[in-house]
Amino acid sequence: MQKISYLGIFAILLATPAMAYDADKFRAEVLEGVDLVGARNTIDNPDPAPGALGLDVYQTADAGYNSDVQVFVPTSMYMRAGAGLNLPFATDQATFNGEKFSTAGSWTTQIGLGWNLSSYVRTELDFQESTFEFSDISGMDATYQTIGGMLYFDFARRYVQMGDITYRRRFVPFMGLGASAGFYRFSGPGGADGFVIGAPRATLGFNVMLNELIGIDIMYQYQMMIGNGFGWDVRAGGVDNISNIMASFRVNF
């Protein structure tokens, strides 16, 4: 019996180094595996930096799941700057000495500040200055300076939620409706200066995003100007129908 006990103890002593070696090796492999997984996660899925800024940094990379959609952090505001050309065929003619004269070489500049109310709706305040010249008549022009408010509706959802990531579409058509008010000046004999109301002002166009924050808006803009009429020697309370094609940069922030 005593010999059996000695044999058992001897067997345990022989197995102990192997067991200890296996345990150490197991722990080493586990630690190595944890490090590899940790390194891989650090490369593929970086921990977000603290705060909203860190979230922005990690969510503005292109996920590439769709060629028309980019990773995008929804912004609350944007700025706009651009210009447009007048469409003579869609603009009222000016009246001078009983004759009609079409617009020619006329343009509009625009700057604005907007707020994204939702993924479909945004509102905007802008300033526009429009200069009108006329065919077959020289030394006379008209200038409008107005401040307007617009409500825009996007026809496609600008923000697309995919799990924990928000994407933004690159192409979004939209329409807008609003009004403006300001002053006009008609130079030349019989020209009249005065207050004008642009109501309604309507737009129809599309937005193309160049990167995560900067895009281009191309749109048709119609304004019905209520003032003294578009021209000279016209009655008070006249109405001018003015159309432009506008192009502007929109910078989100």
Side-chain angles (χ1 to χ4, degrees):
M1 190 64 170
Q2 187 175 5
K3 291 181 179 181
I4 294 176
S5 299
Y6 288 151
L7 289 174
I9 294 172
F10 182 70
I12 292 173
L13 291 175
L14 288 176
T16 298
M19 293 176 61
Y21 173 78
D22 290 341
D24 292 339
K25 184 178 180 181
F26 176 77
R27 283 194 294 269
E29 290 176 350
V30 170
L31 291 176
E32 182 181 2
V34 169
D35 289 342
L36 289 175
V37 172
R40 188 176 299 110
N41 285 338
T42 302
I43 295 172
D44 297 339
N45 303 298
D47 294 334
L53 178 59
L55 188 63
D56 289 352
V57 170
Y58 285 109
Q59 286 195 358
T60 53
D62 193 343
Y65 87 95
N66 189 312
S67 60
D68 295 327
V69 181
Q70 283 187 316
V71 177
F72 190 82
V73 178
T75 56
S76 57
M77 299 182 68
Y78 64 87
M79 295 183 64
R80 176 194 305 283
L85 293 176
N86 176 251
L87 300 177
F89 64 87
T91 298
D92 284 352
Q93 295 178 318
T95 302
F96 180 66
N97 287 337
E99 294 186 45
K100 296 286 186 177
F101 298 92
S102 299
T103 58
S106 306
W107 67 91
T108 297
T109 57
Q110 177 190 36
I111 58 174
L113 181 64
W115 292 262
N116 294 317
L117 303 181
S118 73
S119 188
Y120 289 100
V121 182
R122 51 194 169 86
T123 187
E124 181 178 323
L125 294 175
D126 76 339
F127 170 80
Q128 292 191 27
E129 182 175 74
S130 301
T131 300
F132 294 90
E133 298 178 354
F134 304 92
S135 60
D136 303 322
I137 187 172
S138 60
M140 296 185 182
D141 59 64
T143 302
Y144 285 88
Q145 294 179 332
T146 60
I147 295 177
M150 296 289 294
L151 190 63
Y152 288 97
F153 303 91
D154 294 322
F155 294 148
R157 187 178 181 85
R158 288 178 289 124
Y159 306 141
V160 181
Q161 192 74 24
M162 298 291 292
D164 295 331
I165 300 178
T166 302
Y167 299 87
R168 180 186 175 100
R169 297 184 190 277
R170 293 182 181 176
F171 178 86
V172 176
F174 64 83
M175 66 171 293
L177 187 64
S180 63
F183 292 89
Y184 61 82
R185 177 186 61 83
F186 291 152
S187 64
D193 299 332
F195 181 73
V196 65
I197 296 176
R201 178 199 281 180
T203 63
L204 183 65
F206 59 88
N207 167 256
V208 178
M209 293 303 297
L210 303 179
N211 58 34
E212 291 84 356
L213 298 176
I214 300 176
I216 295 179
D217 284 350
I218 305 294
M219 64 183 180
Y220 163 77
Q221 175 180 268
Y222 165 80
Q223 298 184 88
M224 186 175 73
M225 297 293 193
I226 303 173
N228 278 6
F230 196 36
W232 299 261
D233 303 327
V234 295
R235 65 179 179 83
V239 173
D240 314 328
N241 296 289
I242 299 174
S243 294
N244 294 294
I245 288 292
M246 306 288 294
S248 59
F249 285 99
R250 194 198 310 179
V251 181
N252 297 276
F253 63 93

